[in-house]
Amino acid sequence: MLVVTKFGGSSLSCATQFEKVKNIVLSDPKRKIVVVSALGKRNSSDTKITDLLYILHAHLKYSVPYQDIWEMIESRFLGVRDELGIDYPIDEDLNKLHNELNKNISQDYLVSRGEYLTAKLMSNYLGYSFCDAKDLLKYNYDGLLDEDETEKNVKYAFSLHGSIVVPGFYGSYPNGSVRLLSRGGSDVTGSILAKCLNASLYENWTDVSGILAADPRIVENPKAIKEITYAELRELSYMGASVLHEETVFPVQSLNIPINLKNTNDPLNPGTIIKNESNDTSDLITGIAGRKDFVSFDISKDHMSGEVGFLRKALSIFEKYNVSIEHVPSGIDSFSVVVPLDSVEKCQYELVTELKRELGADVTMDTNIALVAVVGRNMAKRSGVCGTIFQNLGKENINVRLLAQGPSELNIIIGVAREDYEKTIKTLYKGLIA
Ligand code: ASP
């Protein structure tokens, strides 16, 4: 049994957090693969090492003096090393990097040093071997992971060392140069390693005790979700809940390896388990999430329902403008096409003109739409859920402007005016989850 354990930046912000990580890792001998992000914020006004490295890169590129930034970076790593009382010569790694700084240094390489140096400290502190992610995660020049090569490298490294610390957030191209993943990518590194080693569990440690059932900026003290399926997580993340990097689930999902989201500051809290299927039927609704900025193009024409191909013609105009469609709620002689506002910001007026001209229809645009998703696997084939939703919203005088439910009955999407967004989430949380 093998557990891949990934720690985010807030779990690695200072020596005290390193100590918590060590206690967690060493308390379970199955935790043999540790993935780390770069040192994170120590408090809300602090700056993450990754952000400092991006700033450093910009200074170098535009030949702006950078010594102050460099010293901030250097002192963070030296500070952790000294406070931990370990004798790892991190100053040598830092001097090497300092000598490499120049106007043309690769951004991917420079930014990846945050994870690299953090992993060097952590491996020494844990007594685990350091394995450079650039020797493990191999990417083709098109940016796709070379899965076979990566699996071979990871298996070999694990068989050689037994317990390893791997920096997250990067791999390398065939020529060995560093390829950085997108922000938050250490989550993906952990997932890839878990897949390569067919781990029994992928643990992802942050500073919250799992996924919350609603946005804590809107709902006071929302419940944490005990169990969620990959499909539910996708719905909630897509609708704005920020949980894991969106590519995290794919590698582990293929082997049905569960992900456990846990809190480094509260390790006994069970957190949230994410897996393919869940038998937990204790909650009807798993969570509520939403996004504020949508536009609805409302299209109507007399006798539209008898015109074969009308919908296709309309949708192909959106396709021409490269706009991805979110929902298409419909009536008999009218329908709406709901899309994210930012996707039509530059082309909304041309789109309306073309829709009117090509379809001979009335087209109006409503830019004041927020969408709220009520997500729950246990809603399927259960009567009364919509009734409860409407009853709660009605009592609060919230007007539902559109409604969509997919065939899987995994979620119900409610469109409301943007000014009703927060109130809708609060009301639904209170009526369905609290
Ligand atoms: N340190 C990187 C970031 O801030 C990657 C990560 O934390 O996963 O995005």
PDB file of all heavy atoms in Angstrom, residues 149-163:
ATOM      1  N   GLU A 149       7.066   7.000 -20.836  1.00  0.00           N
ATOM      2  CA  GLU A 149       8.389   7.397 -20.348  1.00  0.00           C
ATOM      3  C   GLU A 149       8.302   7.834 -18.875  1.00  0.00           C
ATOM      4  O   GLU A 149       9.138   7.465 -18.049  1.00  0.00           O
ATOM      5  CB  GLU A 149       8.866   8.563 -21.245  1.00  0.00           C
ATOM      6  CG  GLU A 149      10.293   9.014 -21.055  1.00  0.00           C
ATOM      7  CD  GLU A 149      11.321   7.932 -21.376  1.00  0.00           C
ATOM      8  OE1 GLU A 149      10.995   6.968 -22.102  1.00  0.00           O
ATOM      9  OE2 GLU A 149      12.451   8.062 -20.855  1.00  0.00           O
ATOM     10  N   THR A 150       7.266   8.626 -18.588  1.00  0.00           N
ATOM     11  CA  THR A 150       7.100   9.133 -17.219  1.00  0.00           C
ATOM     12  C   THR A 150       6.903   7.974 -16.239  1.00  0.00           C
ATOM     13  O   THR A 150       7.550   7.904 -15.192  1.00  0.00           O
ATOM     14  CB  THR A 150       5.893  10.099 -17.166  1.00  0.00           C
ATOM     15  OG1 THR A 150       6.165  11.171 -18.056  1.00  0.00           O
ATOM     16  CG2 THR A 150       5.662  10.647 -15.773  1.00  0.00           C
ATOM     17  N   GLU A 151       6.039   7.041 -16.624  1.00  0.00           N
ATOM     18  CA  GLU A 151       5.785   5.904 -15.718  1.00  0.00           C
ATOM     19  C   GLU A 151       7.074   5.112 -15.462  1.00  0.00           C
ATOM     20  O   GLU A 151       7.371   4.726 -14.327  1.00  0.00           O
ATOM     21  CB  GLU A 151       4.708   5.004 -16.318  1.00  0.00           C
ATOM     22  CG  GLU A 151       4.297   3.926 -15.348  1.00  0.00           C
ATOM     23  CD  GLU A 151       3.109   3.099 -15.846  1.00  0.00           C
ATOM     24  OE1 GLU A 151       2.207   3.665 -16.483  1.00  0.00           O
ATOM     25  OE2 GLU A 151       3.117   1.890 -15.581  1.00  0.00           O
ATOM     26  N   LYS A 152       7.834   4.914 -16.540  1.00  0.00           N
ATOM     27  CA  LYS A 152       9.097   4.168 -16.396  1.00  0.00           C
ATOM     28  C   LYS A 152      10.029   4.898 -15.415  1.00  0.00           C
ATOM     29  O   LYS A 152      10.597   4.303 -14.502  1.00  0.00           O
ATOM     30  CB  LYS A 152       9.748   4.083 -17.795  1.00  0.00           C
ATOM     31  CG  LYS A 152      10.710   2.950 -17.956  1.00  0.00           C
ATOM     32  CD  LYS A 152      11.205   2.868 -19.391  1.00  0.00           C
ATOM     33  CE  LYS A 152      12.276   3.921 -19.615  1.00  0.00           C
ATOM     34  NZ  LYS A 152      12.575   4.243 -20.969  1.00  0.00           N
ATOM     35  N   ASN A 153      10.150   6.226 -15.592  1.00  0.00           N
ATOM     36  CA  ASN A 153      11.053   7.007 -14.732  1.00  0.00           C
ATOM     37  C   ASN A 153      10.606   6.978 -13.272  1.00  0.00           C
ATOM     38  O   ASN A 153      11.421   6.845 -12.362  1.00  0.00           O
ATOM     39  CB  ASN A 153      11.082   8.479 -15.179  1.00  0.00           C
ATOM     40  CG  ASN A 153      11.657   8.627 -16.574  1.00  0.00           C
ATOM     41  OD1 ASN A 153      12.405   7.779 -17.034  1.00  0.00           O
ATOM     42  ND2 ASN A 153      11.300   9.711 -17.251  1.00  0.00           N
ATOM     43  N   VAL A 154       9.314   7.134 -13.083  1.00  0.00           N
ATOM     44  CA  VAL A 154       8.804   7.216 -11.702  1.00  0.00           C
ATOM     45  C   VAL A 154       8.988   5.865 -11.008  1.00  0.00           C
ATOM     46  O   VAL A 154       9.459   5.792  -9.865  1.00  0.00           O
ATOM     47  CB  VAL A 154       7.310   7.643 -11.698  1.00  0.00           C
ATOM     48  CG1 VAL A 154       6.719   7.556 -10.292  1.00  0.00           C
ATOM     49  CG2 VAL A 154       7.150   9.057 -12.249  1.00  0.00           C
ATOM     50  N   LYS A 155       8.660   4.789 -11.714  1.00  0.00           N
ATOM     51  CA  LYS A 155       8.803   3.459 -11.104  1.00  0.00           C
ATOM     52  C   LYS A 155      10.264   3.182 -10.754  1.00  0.00           C
ATOM     53  O   LYS A 155      10.572   2.642  -9.694  1.00  0.00           O
ATOM     54  CB  LYS A 155       8.295   2.380 -12.070  1.00  0.00           C
ATOM     55  CG  LYS A 155       6.772   2.295 -12.077  1.00  0.00           C
ATOM     56  CD  LYS A 155       6.323   1.107 -12.871  1.00  0.00           C
ATOM     57  CE  LYS A 155       4.847   0.829 -12.626  1.00  0.00           C
ATOM     58  NZ  LYS A 155       4.192   0.308 -13.815  1.00  0.00           N
ATOM     59  N   TYR A 156      11.133   3.588 -11.670  1.00  0.00           N
ATOM     60  CA  TYR A 156      12.559   3.344 -11.435  1.00  0.00           C
ATOM     61  C   TYR A 156      13.039   4.126 -10.211  1.00  0.00           C
ATOM     62  O   TYR A 156      13.703   3.581  -9.317  1.00  0.00           O
ATOM     63  CB  TYR A 156      13.366   3.733 -12.687  1.00  0.00           C
ATOM     64  CG  TYR A 156      14.841   3.523 -12.495  1.00  0.00           C
ATOM     65  CD1 TYR A 156      15.372   2.230 -12.386  1.00  0.00           C
ATOM     66  CD2 TYR A 156      15.705   4.615 -12.383  1.00  0.00           C
ATOM     67  CE1 TYR A 156      16.728   2.031 -12.168  1.00  0.00           C
ATOM     68  CE2 TYR A 156      17.057   4.428 -12.171  1.00  0.00           C
ATOM     69  CZ  TYR A 156      17.560   3.131 -12.062  1.00  0.00           C
ATOM     70  OH  TYR A 156      18.897   2.933 -11.842  1.00  0.00           O
ATOM     71  N   ALA A 157      12.688   5.414 -10.156  1.00  0.00           N
ATOM     72  CA  ALA A 157      13.128   6.260  -9.030  1.00  0.00           C
ATOM     73  C   ALA A 157      12.614   5.696  -7.716  1.00  0.00           C
ATOM     74  O   ALA A 157      13.328   5.649  -6.714  1.00  0.00           O
ATOM     75  CB  ALA A 157      12.629   7.693  -9.226  1.00  0.00           C
ATOM     76  N   PHE A 158      11.373   5.232  -7.734  1.00  0.00           N
ATOM     77  CA  PHE A 158      10.786   4.710  -6.491  1.00  0.00           C
ATOM     78  C   PHE A 158      11.486   3.410  -6.074  1.00  0.00           C
ATOM     79  O   PHE A 158      11.819   3.212  -4.905  1.00  0.00           O
ATOM     80  CB  PHE A 158       9.283   4.498  -6.683  1.00  0.00           C
ATOM     81  CG  PHE A 158       8.612   3.949  -5.471  1.00  0.00           C
ATOM     82  CD1 PHE A 158       8.672   4.626  -4.264  1.00  0.00           C
ATOM     83  CD2 PHE A 158       7.931   2.737  -5.519  1.00  0.00           C
ATOM     84  CE1 PHE A 158       8.064   4.115  -3.124  1.00  0.00           C
ATOM     85  CE2 PHE A 158       7.320   2.221  -4.385  1.00  0.00           C
ATOM     86  CZ  PHE A 158       7.394   2.906  -3.188  1.00  0.00           C
ATOM     87  N   SER A 159      11.768   2.538  -7.068  1.00  0.00           N
ATOM     88  CA  SER A 159      12.400   1.269  -6.706  1.00  0.00           C
ATOM     89  C   SER A 159      13.829   1.509  -6.211  1.00  0.00           C
ATOM     90  O   SER A 159      14.341   0.788  -5.369  1.00  0.00           O
ATOM     91  CB  SER A 159      12.386   0.301  -7.899  1.00  0.00           C
ATOM     92  OG  SER A 159      13.214   0.817  -8.908  1.00  0.00           O
ATOM     93  N   LEU A 160      14.453   2.553  -6.722  1.00  0.00           N
ATOM     94  CA  LEU A 160      15.832   2.846  -6.320  1.00  0.00           C
ATOM     95  C   LEU A 160      15.901   3.416  -4.907  1.00  0.00           C
ATOM     96  O   LEU A 160      16.769   3.067  -4.124  1.00  0.00           O
ATOM     97  CB  LEU A 160      16.399   3.876  -7.312  1.00  0.00           C
ATOM     98  CG  LEU A 160      17.903   4.029  -7.427  1.00  0.00           C
ATOM     99  CD1 LEU A 160      18.518   2.734  -7.926  1.00  0.00           C
ATOM    100  CD2 LEU A 160      18.226   5.165  -8.403  1.00  0.00           C
ATOM    101  N   HIS A 161      14.978   4.337  -4.593  1.00  0.00           N
ATOM    102  CA  HIS A 161      15.110   5.080  -3.329  1.00  0.00           C
ATOM    103  C   HIS A 161      14.107   4.686  -2.247  1.00  0.00           C
ATOM    104  O   HIS A 161      14.345   4.952  -1.077  1.00  0.00           O
ATOM    105  CB  HIS A 161      14.942   6.580  -3.599  1.00  0.00           C
ATOM    106  CG  HIS A 161      15.932   7.117  -4.575  1.00  0.00           C
ATOM    107  ND1 HIS A 161      17.267   7.265  -4.275  1.00  0.00           N
ATOM    108  CD2 HIS A 161      15.791   7.553  -5.854  1.00  0.00           C
ATOM    109  CE1 HIS A 161      17.902   7.766  -5.320  1.00  0.00           C
ATOM    110  NE2 HIS A 161      17.030   7.931  -6.303  1.00  0.00           N
ATOM    111  N   GLY A 162      12.966   4.166  -2.616  1.00  0.00           N
ATOM    112  CA  GLY A 162      11.981   3.753  -1.594  1.00  0.00           C
ATOM    113  C   GLY A 162      11.122   4.870  -1.044  1.00  0.00           C
ATOM    114  O   GLY A 162       9.917   4.756  -0.980  1.00  0.00           O
ATOM    115  N   SER A 163      11.728   5.963  -0.650  1.00  0.00           N
ATOM    116  CA  SER A 163      10.910   7.094  -0.190  1.00  0.00           C
ATOM    117  C   SER A 163      11.506   8.375  -0.754  1.00  0.00           C
ATOM    118  O   SER A 163      12.707   8.627  -0.602  1.00  0.00           O
ATOM    119  CB  SER A 163      10.834   7.129   1.330  1.00  0.00           C
ATOM    120  OG  SER A 163      12.104   6.888   1.872  1.00  0.00           O
TER     121      SER A 163
END
